[in-house]
Amino acid sequence: IKESFTRKVTLLLVKSADLIVQNIKHDSADQLIKPRMDQPIISDNLCEALISMQPTGDRSLLKIIPTWSRTAPVTQTIPSVVRIPKEYFPTIEKVAQELRPKEEPKKDLFIGRIDALYGKPSADGLPQGEVTFVTVLPDNEILKAKIDLSPEDYAAACDAHKYTLFVELHGVLHRGTRIHRITDCENFRVRREPLL
């Protein structure tokens, strides 16, 4: 009987999740970067999907429980449940970072809005520091990133946030599993003209 696409995807998910758990359990997570030929390939997307489902609570765990059609039982040896304890997720995050394509980040232009302000007064009393910046990338991905701003740029960011204006800046985007960051921020300015 030919397996459906849905079943193939589910089988791969369960096998891959179980492989992650077994390698972490036996302190061999480094083998997930380059699995054997007979093992499923682990991707950064899979790791990040698991991280996004990370449960709350110190003793909690994520369960993956596949269900199969009674008229077409599974013929492969497959776990009936995969349990991922909360303490495994930091390791999964490290694996995701290792698997992520190693592209040299480059400076680019970003246009977006200031979503939140976290600055604190500096030694001279002027607020400066971290803001959350929201932008839309060319592929329509909505991205939030942290940026550290100088007192001058932070003051401009406060105005932009207050009046819901767009800002533009040049910087280098560094992607993270949950938190992205833009460094080397230059030419920060509030756009008072409408976007075309």
Side-chain angles (χ1 to χ4, degrees):
I1 301 174
K2 187 177 180 180
E3 290 182 329
S4 67
F5 176 75
T6 303
R7 173 164 292 205
K8 288 179 180 178
V9 170
T10 305
L11 285 167
L12 181 59
L13 169 62
V14 175
K15 288 180 179 179
S16 299
D18 186 57
L19 179 63
I20 290 172
V21 168
Q22 295 306 319
N23 275 273
I24 295 176
K25 182 178 180 180
H26 294 99
D27 199 25
S28 56
D30 55 320
Q31 294 183 18
L32 296 170
I33 310 301
K34 294 182 179 180
R36 300 194 314 263
M37 292 295 291
D38 61 334
Q39 294 177 330
I41 295 174
I42 305 301
S43 69
D44 60 318
N45 286 333
L46 171 62
C47 292
E48 290 177 7
L50 293 174
I51 292 166
S52 70
M53 295 184 284
Q54 183 175 175
T56 57
D58 293 338
R59 306 182 73 177
S60 59
L61 55 83
L62 172 66
K63 289 183 181 179
I64 300 175
I65 307 174
T67 56
W68 313 103
S69 170
R70 293 182 180 178
T71 59
V74 175
T75 57
Q76 303 180 38
T77 302
I78 195 85
S80 58
V81 58
V82 178
R83 296 176 175 85
I84 308 177
K86 185 175 176 63
E87 61 267 24
Y88 283 16
F89 283 90
T91 303
I92 295 174
E93 192 162 345
K94 289 179 182 177
V95 171
Q97 291 173 353
E98 287 294 320
L99 291 171
R100 196 171 293 120
K102 302 295 189 292
E103 294 182 7
E104 191 67 30
K106 59 182 180 179
K107 187 160 286 191
D108 208 343
L109 170 67
F110 298 95
I111 299 172
R113 293 187 188 273
I114 302 298
D115 186 60
L117 301 158
Y118 302 101
K120 297 179 180 179
S122 59
D124 56 8
L126 296 175
Q128 65 178 26
E130 193 173 84
V131 302
T132 301
F133 172 75
V134 180
T135 186
V136 179
L137 300 181
D139 61 357
N140 292 322
E141 176 189 359
I142 298 173
L143 180 137
K144 282 189 177 184
K146 302 289 188 182
I147 311 175
D148 282 314
L149 297 178
S150 66
E152 181 181 358
D153 290 343
Y154 192 86
C158 288
D159 287 341
H161 186 259
K162 180 178 180 180
Y163 298 108
T164 62
L165 298 171
F166 283 94
V167 300
E168 69 175 47
L169 59 101
H170 287 84
V172 179
L173 172 63
H174 301 269
R175 288 183 175 271
T177 303
R178 292 191 224 169
I179 300 174
H180 309 297
R181 187 166 291 277
I182 295 176
T183 62
D184 302 321
C185 180
E186 294 180 341
N187 307 320
F188 185 96
R189 78 176 187 92
V190 180
R191 291 182 63 113
R192 301 189 182 276
E193 68 275 13
L195 288 175
L196 298 178

